[in-house]
Structures are given as structure tokens and as C-alpha cells.
Amino acid sequence: MVKSYLKFEPSKSFGVVATSSSNLVWTSSKDKSGTGAGQAIVAANNEVLTWDIKKGELLNRWKDENCKAQVTAIAQSKTDPDVFAVGYEDGSIRLWDSKISTTIVSFNGHKSAITMLAFDKSGVRLASGAKDTDVIVWDLVAEVGQYKLRGHKDQITGLRFIEPEPQIPEGGDDEEQAMVLDNEATEGFLLTTGKDALIKLWDLSSRHCIETHVAQNSGECWALGVSPDLSGCVTVGNDGEMRVWALDVAGLASSARKVDLSQAINFLHDRGTLHRSSKERAVEVIFHPRRDCFAVHGVEKSVEIWRIRNESEIKKSLARKRRRRRELAAKKGKKEAEAEEEDDKADDISKADISDVFVQHVIVRTTGKVRSVAWALSQGTKDLQLLVGGTNNLLETYTIVGKDKLKSKGDAPDYNKALAVELPGHRTDIRALSISSDDKMLASAANGSLKIWNIKTNTCIRTFECGYALCCSFLPGDKVVVVGTKEGELQLYDVASASLLESVNAHEGHAIWSLQVHPDGKSVVSGGADKTAKFWDFKIVQEQVLGTSRTTPKLKLVQSKILKVSDDILSLRFSPDAKLLAVALLDSTVKVFFVDSLKLYLNLYGHKLPVLSMDISYDNKLIVTSSADKNIRIWGLDFGDCHKALFGHQDSILQVAFVPHNSDGNGHHFFSASKDRTIKYWDADKFEQIQRIDGHHGEIWAIAVAHSGQFLISASHDKSIRVWEETDEQIFLEEEREKEIEELYESTLTTSLEQDPDAEDENREVGAASKQTVETLMAGERIAEALELGMADLNAIKEWEEAKQQNPNVAPPQRNVLFMALGNISAEQHVMNVLQKIKASALHDALLVLPFATVPMLFTFLNIFAMRSMNIPLTCRILFFMLKTHHKQIVASKTMRAMLDGIRTNLRGALKRQKDEMGYNVAALKVVGMQLQHKSVKDYVDEKWEEENEENKAVKKRAFVQVS
């Protein structure tokens, strides 16, 4: 009989605050009860998390079960604050609705990781830039990619829609102005920067690049920041260089109406270069939406806040410089007139040096290296608030005192750390895990911290400061955790009182690589880099309370035995019956000793590189060792013979662990975890891989198996702790192998399809935003299948109808079983159903899969759809796309031309009917509206209101406008 196993599935993931793969977004609290600090939308590997910044609570988790790729970019819609675009490492983009935590639509068009996302002003278009150097503009209403813009030679690092307000010409009557506005439906412009150090301005109406400049002198351009009023932008590169550009928005708006621009006009003007105090390469430039300042930072422990001076400050600065120049001129004896002439030149604000306009406000020093920042626009505070996401799994909010709050001129701007989300995760990689005996608590140890988690609720119960932890374990009773550190100390922590009970310098400054509690629970053994294994007994010592005669019981570690070996100890394990102790050494051997006499029992040779981990089965018969040589070896503990050497992973295997009770009860199934980001489940009797578990995005440092054997916990470099639970679903090894081969085939299939772009198309500046995926291939196959079935059915019915004219009693033809099963539906209805089920975003790519031979069949059905007015928008969309794609072949074919005439006639008829219907309904609605207005609305006009509005607008104009 074929042996079956039970499958392990992912159930929970925790321990991540924010990963450094993506930027973060600040958004205000949705409900009235929400706290004032707002919410942070951050990436957490393949998920997106929403944190309440003030409470430090996780509010929401957006996760697509089908997506395993990391999140690399997040953007919020400007019109609907609940809609977020999220870009992934595999080049896919998903639109999420934050209210219901589900995807609205997903797009596939890029070949590699998304780097930038930007919504337009109206929220109906999305632009995406990726590492594959392309920019794609997506239509969010029709759910399709409109076009792909090519021009950059390296990854896209900045992206912004530039949509100037339409310019109304002065003078002229109202009708003329209305006409101008009606014709003003321009698509706007797009400003992009790339790592190739270029800044490009694209006209989206004509879909071509109208302007290109070299953005940075220092090699690469890493970020773009555009001021909220679109009057200027800042690009940053290496060596702390920042270039300021003035953008002629009025010129852009007026040029949008002109067809022919006779002379070349530049809309982007270089205003000069500023230098940051840090020489690191920058990562982001973020302008404040309401104040004259911006934040800029690299991957370092600081964020620089720069301020844009207002007009009076610039004048003062220029006056100061003028005074200095005059003093110098007087000293040198220059003529007064010349000096005055120079003064007049220098007094023009628009000609002011850029360093007079932009000044550094403050440098915010952060706890960890910064990955991304966002301005927090909290109600009721006039101070600037900055949300900072670190590379060390941390979110912080800083309050910065604005210029107007400073008491005197000499005061330096101040800032302070207001809030932080830090408890739900470690700052550094977790190096060791241990599960309590009742499987309810988990201890995770990292460099600098030890955390105790409740496994059921995923919450952090306790946090301790510790050394650089390398191993840890719960002691019997689950009230105390012992930690071994890189500094050679054994530290005992009490979970209940959250205190350090004792710290013993166990291995004199040499790292403790491994420790294990004796199966009887009365002692612990530690192995370190000082070539010794030390045995420690737990003793309760009565310790005197200082200043009194009372004593309190205290747990102490007392050394009982020592075992000296020839090399550093990397791992050690007791056998469950406590008779043997296995010790793995740096010389790639494993030595097995008797516990009572410490005599050598077995020597296990075979690994080419050091053994990093090992485990002994629960019936004491097998020992499994894993090594840096990527192999797993299974040995018998009776004679020390190697049963099997398995090439387990693609990188070093960091940990192996047996499952206590499997279906056979012998405990011979085990897990292995590696630096290649996978966990594998093995059968040690059959030497077979049962299951491969993927999910982590970094090397897996530690795993721990529950004492019940029902779940496994893993911790990785991606900062996440993941729980994998045993399900009732059975695994058959043959099926698993087939599945793996199928996955491999599918991945090579889609890449081979992408390999052959049209040579002409490749060199064009604009291309189609298409990408073949397994989903589109299958959709294409479904369309082809439906067309074949449908055509066969149409022909059969046609023949029957012809035969019926000769002989009215002819029985109807036998239709395909599929049509009968679907309720005896017509062939055209079946084809329409198949087409409707395909997602709008995948439809074009699915139609490209169809060979040209199927196009006449498709057009036959499109004709029927037009005749019967079946889903006209979809019919038109398919028709126009197919005409555009196969234009040359269709024009060359006589039969197709006749078919197209028929389609045109039917389609025009259908569209005219729809147009008349809509016109009738619109007219009726207008009448109803007029009646309502007549009954309920009285028109009172406040004459002063418009004037006041104009005044307010004039006051709000920003300094940046006049400067540029």
C-alpha cells in the first residue's frame, strides 16, 4: 500500500513590524474613535500591515494567498483614501480596499520588482515603474494597462503625475471659456527619474518623452520629490548631492492646447545644487503636503529636514550679502556705481542663489537605519510630525518644532521621539527558538533581546534585554528561560517577574553555540568555542536579603562535570533516554559519549564541512546531522553506521529537528531548515522528502517542533516567526514530485513566452503593457476551446435547419454534453460566459494566445453578439483589440472583410439603440431634477463669499512659486 503523510500548512505569521523591502504610507484614522496619531501602512514580507501608531496595535493585515512575492512599493489614492496600490517583487500590482482588506484588481505587466507607484489626481490612472526600466500607465476603470513607456536605461527611482490646472484665457465671453475647458481633456504629464541619472518629462496625450536632462553629476539618481504645488522638484543622488529643478507648470498647461510647438521649449530648469551633510546615497525625498519643507534621507541613522524660506527671509538673506559685498567693495576701493549695479542684480529674488532659498532645518537622529519616511498630518498640532520606518523592524514618530515656534533667532530647531511601534518584533535576526512544554509559549532570542510570545494570540508577553543570544531553552516548569550568549554567559530569566535571575560566565568569553536541558530536567549542558561541554545542576540556594536576617530561595547554576574535546563544539544533543550525549565539532565529526562515564561510544565521520545541527529520534535509534556541506546524514545509534546521505538543500542546513509523534508512532520524521529559505519535511526510514515548505524571504535561522508534534515554528532573517500546522490533508509522494515538476515547467514556460518580443516594438518609446502569465495562458486556452465547441454547435444547428426545410420531422442534432450540462444554453451564450469570466486585466493577454486561425471563429461570434446586443462594451473591446493586433492579416483576407461589414452594420445598430435609450433616460432625469429643484430649493447668493474665497486663495500661495 502507498504510504501517505499529513501535510503541514502555514497558519500564522508574527514578529514583523515593518520590512525594509518597501516604502511606508501614513494615513489618518478611519473612525472617530481612532487615536490622533493616525495609522501606518507598511510592508511585512508578502503582506501589508496597518498599525495604530499610538496604541502600537495591529489593525489590519492584507494578504493574498496566491502571492508569495515580497511587497516592494505602496501608494495611496488621492481621491479615495481607502484604495491602496501595492507593488510586488514579481512585477505584479494589486489594488487593495483597506476597509474590507481584499484585492479589487490585480495587474501583471512588469518583468521584475516594482520600485515606484503613483496615482493621478482623479484616482483613475496609476503609473508604475520597475527594475525592468519600464513605466506602465494603468487604467483603473477599464482595469487594463494602457501603454508602456520605454526610455530609461536602468531602474525607475522616481515617478509623479504632473497635471497642471487648465489655463483660462483672460477676456472673451463665457461660451468661449466653456469651449476651452471642454477641449481641455488632456491626459497630463509624467515626470520620471531613473538610476541612469536621467530625469524625463513625458506628455501622456501624445505618449512620448518631451524633455530629458541629466539629473545628477555624481553618477546615479536615486529619488525624486515634487513640491505639492508642482512648481519645482528635487532629485538626489550619490555623495549627498541634491539638484533643485524649477518646473514651468503654466507653460505646460498652455502647451497642452497647442498642436505645433515651433521652437523647443524647456519646462524643466536647473536651479542649482545643494549638498546634504551625509555623503551616503539618498533613498527618498518627501515634501510636506502643507508646509514649505521636505525630508531627505539615505540608509543611515538620520533624516534631514530642509526648509524653503519665504520671500521676506530671502530678501533679508540677500540684504545681508549685499551689506557684506559693500563692505568688501569699500575695502577694495571699488566704485560706488558698480557696487550699486551689482546690488540691483542680486536683489531680484527669482535670481537668488538656491542655497539662499533652501536651508537645512534640522537633522533628526533615529534609533536605527532609516528605510522610509512619511509626514504625519495629525489634527490639533502645529509641529511637524514625521513617521520613520527603520531597517531594524521598527516604526517611530518624531515631533519636530517648526520655525515659527522657536523662541529666539539663535535657537536650534528641536525634535523628540513621540511614539514607537517596537514591542511586536525583534530589532535583529532571531537566532534561537524554544517552545514551552505545554506548547502555549514561545521564547525567541536575538542579539540584544529575548521575547516570550503567546503562540495562540501571537502577542509578545515579555521582553528582556540580553547579550548576543545564540541558543535558548525553557527549563522544566516553563517559568524560567536559559540563554547562551556569544560572550560566553549563561543567563537565567524569570518569565513571571520579568527579571534576570542569574548570569554565569560559563565559557570564559567564548561563544556558547549550543545548550540542552537534560531529559530528567535537573541539569543543563552547554557547549562552546572553548572546546568544552559543561554540565550544570539547578540548585535552590537560600540567599540572605540585604539588611535583614531573612533568606529567600534563589535558583543557581552549579557546575558538576566538564567534558573536554579536541575542537570547538557547534551542537550537542542528549538522547531521550538520557544515556548518550552527541557532540558536533568544528572538525566536521560527531562524537557520541556515554552521559554517566563521559567515555567515547561512537565517532561519526562523513561530512565535508562542520555539522551545524543534529537531533536524536524519540526511540533513541537514529541520529540525524545537518551540515554546511548542504547534506543531511542519517546514522544508526547502535553501530554508528551511516544509513543515508541526502543532498538536502541548496545552501547550508542550519537546523534539523525530529517530530515527536508521527502516524507510525516511531518518531522518525524530521524537518530541516536552511539558508536557501526553505523548510523540508523528511521520512528517515524511507529516506524520502515528504514536503517542501516555502514562505520565508530570508535564511531560516531556527526551527522548533511542538511537543505534541502538531505544529512547527520557524524564525528567519526576514524578521518573521511563522507557525506551520499539521492538517488532515494527506500527501502522496508521487503527487508532490509531479507538482514540483509542474511548477518548474510553468515558470520556464512563461519566461520562454516573454523571450521573443517583436524587434520593432522593442526599440519604440511606447509599447503595449502586456505580460503572459500562467493565468492568461489558461484563459486563452479556454477561449480557443469554447470557440471550437461553439463553431461545431453552430454548424450542426445550421445543417439541421437546412435539413428541416426539406423534411420538417428531422430530429434535432445531438449537442455537446457540456452545453446540456450547463442547462442547454446556446453556443454564443457559452462563448460569452467564458469571455466574461476572464478578468479585465488578463483579457488582452489571453486574446494574444489565440492563433490567427481562430480569429474568423471569434469574429463570427462577435457578429452574433452585436446582432443580439450581448454585452456591447465587452464585444467592442475584444473587436477593437483583435483588429489592432491582426490588422494586416485581416485587411489581406477577403472573407474577413465581408464579415467585418456585417459586424459594422450590426454594431452600429446596437450602439444607436443604446445611445437613444441613454439619451431618453438622461433627458428624463433632467426633468425630474428640475421638478425637485423647483419644489425644494430657494436660491440665495452671498455676494461677498466669492471675493473672500479669492482672497484666501491668494494668501495660501506658496513661496516656491515666486522663487522659481
Side-chain angles (χ1 to χ4, degrees), residues 430-433 654-655 673 696 699-704 713-716:
I430 296 167
R431 295 302 296 268
L433 293 173
L654 297 172
Q655 200 161 355
H696 278 292
E699 48 264 37
I700 299 163
W701 290 114
I703 55 172
I713 299 181
S714 58
S716 160

Side-chain angles (χ1 to χ4, degrees), residues 3 5 576 615-624 634-635 657-671 681-686 690 705-709:
K3 189 173 179 189
Y5 304 87
D615 201 11
I616 297 174
S617 68
Y618 286 75
D619 60 0
N620 309 294
K621 286 179 181 171
L622 298 178
I623 178 168
V624 169
I634 302 165
W635 318 75
F658 272 103
V659 181
H661 315 287
N662 58 355
S663 48
D664 298 347
N666 63 358
H668 282 190
H669 295 174
F670 67 91
F671 286 99
Y681 186 25
W682 305 86
D683 183 341
D685 291 330
K686 291 196 163 187
I690 303 167
V705 182
H707 296 86
S708 63

Side-chain angles (χ1 to χ4, degrees), residues 752-772:
S752 66
L753 278 168
E754 288 297 322
Q755 228 82 87
D756 46 356
D758 192 4
E760 285 176 36
D761 201 34
E762 192 62 16
N763 299 325
R764 280 200 206 138
E765 200 171 52
V766 64
S770 65
K771 181 189 177 188
Q772 290 296 351

Side-chain angles (χ1 to χ4, degrees), residues 301-591:
K301 292 187 177 182
S302 64
V303 180
E304 293 179 31
I305 312 295
W306 287 70
R307 199 166 56 77
I308 306 166
R309 286 175 166 170
N310 58 29
E311 205 172 316
S312 61
E313 283 182 293
I314 298 169
K315 279 182 178 168
K316 276 181 195 169
S317 168
L318 291 175
R320 251 196 320 271
K321 285 190 175 179
R322 192 164 63 234
R323 213 175 304 124
R324 280 194 211 125
R325 269 200 308 278
R326 276 184 183 160
E327 285 165 12
L328 282 169
K331 280 180 189 173
K332 288 178 183 173
K334 256 192 178 184
K335 288 179 185 173
E336 286 290 317
E338 278 178 28
E340 272 174 29
E341 227 172 87
E342 272 187 25
D343 286 348
D344 292 342
K345 280 181 193 170
D347 211 16
D348 183 6
I349 289 182
S350 61
K351 301 284 190 301
D353 188 58
I354 200 68
S355 56
D356 293 331
V357 183
F358 289 84
V359 285
Q360 196 177 67
H361 182 55
V362 65
I363 298 178
V364 178
R365 305 282 175 198
T366 55
T367 314
K369 288 184 176 176
V370 183
R371 166 58 183 90
S372 179
V373 300
W375 292 104
L377 308 172
S378 298
Q379 299 295 323
T381 174
K382 287 195 174 177
D383 291 336
L384 299 171
Q385 289 199 313
L386 189 70
L387 174 67
V388 177
T391 56
N392 61 343
N393 203 24
L394 178 67
L395 286 175
E396 295 174 311
T397 306
Y398 288 89
T399 304
I400 301 149
V401 177
K403 174 79 171 69
D404 44 353
K405 281 277 192 79
L406 299 180
K407 295 193 174 63
S408 66
K409 282 186 181 178
D411 276 9
D414 193 16
Y415 66 89
N416 62 325
K417 185 166 141 184
L419 302 160
V421 182
E422 54 189 349
L423 277 185
H426 285 278
R427 302 288 76 78
T428 50
D429 286 7
I430 296 167
R431 295 302 296 268
L433 293 173
S434 176
I435 299 176
S436 63
S437 58
D438 57 2
D439 289 343
K440 287 184 178 170
M441 288 192 294
L442 171 77
S444 61
N447 178 6
S449 60
L450 166 73
K451 285 182 181 283
I452 312 295
W453 306 82
N454 179 332
I455 295 174
K456 196 174 182 183
T457 61
N458 305 345
T459 48
C460 178
I461 312 166
R462 292 276 184 274
T463 301
F464 304 94
E465 280 187 18
C466 67
Y468 193 138
L470 295 173
C471 47
C472 72
S473 178
F474 273 101
L475 298 189
D478 301 330
K479 296 208 169 104
V480 179
V481 178
V482 60
V483 174
T485 69
K486 204 171 186 176
E487 296 82 34
E489 291 188 348
L490 278 176
Q491 298 174 330
L492 290 176
Y493 292 94
D494 183 10
V495 177
S497 67
S499 59
L500 172 67
L501 293 178
E502 193 187 12
S503 180
V504 180
N505 188 0
H507 288 261
E508 286 92 35
H510 294 88
I512 300 174
W513 289 109
S514 184
L515 62 81
Q516 205 197 1
V517 178
H518 192 284
D520 68 3
K522 292 177 183 170
S523 64
V524 63
V525 61
S526 63
D530 61 352
K531 305 179 185 179
T532 61
K534 294 186 178 177
F535 294 80
W536 307 84
D537 289 341
F538 304 128
K539 290 273 167 67
I540 303 292
V541 180
Q542 294 295 331
E543 211 173 57
Q544 193 171 351
V545 179
L546 286 171
T548 66
S549 56
R550 284 186 297 114
T551 58
T552 55
K554 198 169 181 192
L555 183 69
K556 289 271 186 192
L557 288 176
V558 181
Q559 190 179 325
S560 59
K561 286 191 284 191
I562 186 165
L563 168 68
K564 292 189 175 175
V565 287
S566 58
D567 217 329
D568 294 11
I569 295 174
L570 297 181
S571 176
L572 35 76
R573 272 283 169 275
F574 280 110
S575 62
D577 62 4
K579 288 180 181 171
L580 303 172
L581 174 71
V583 179
L585 305 182
L586 194 62
D587 63 5
S588 310
T589 64
V590 175
K591 292 181 164 45

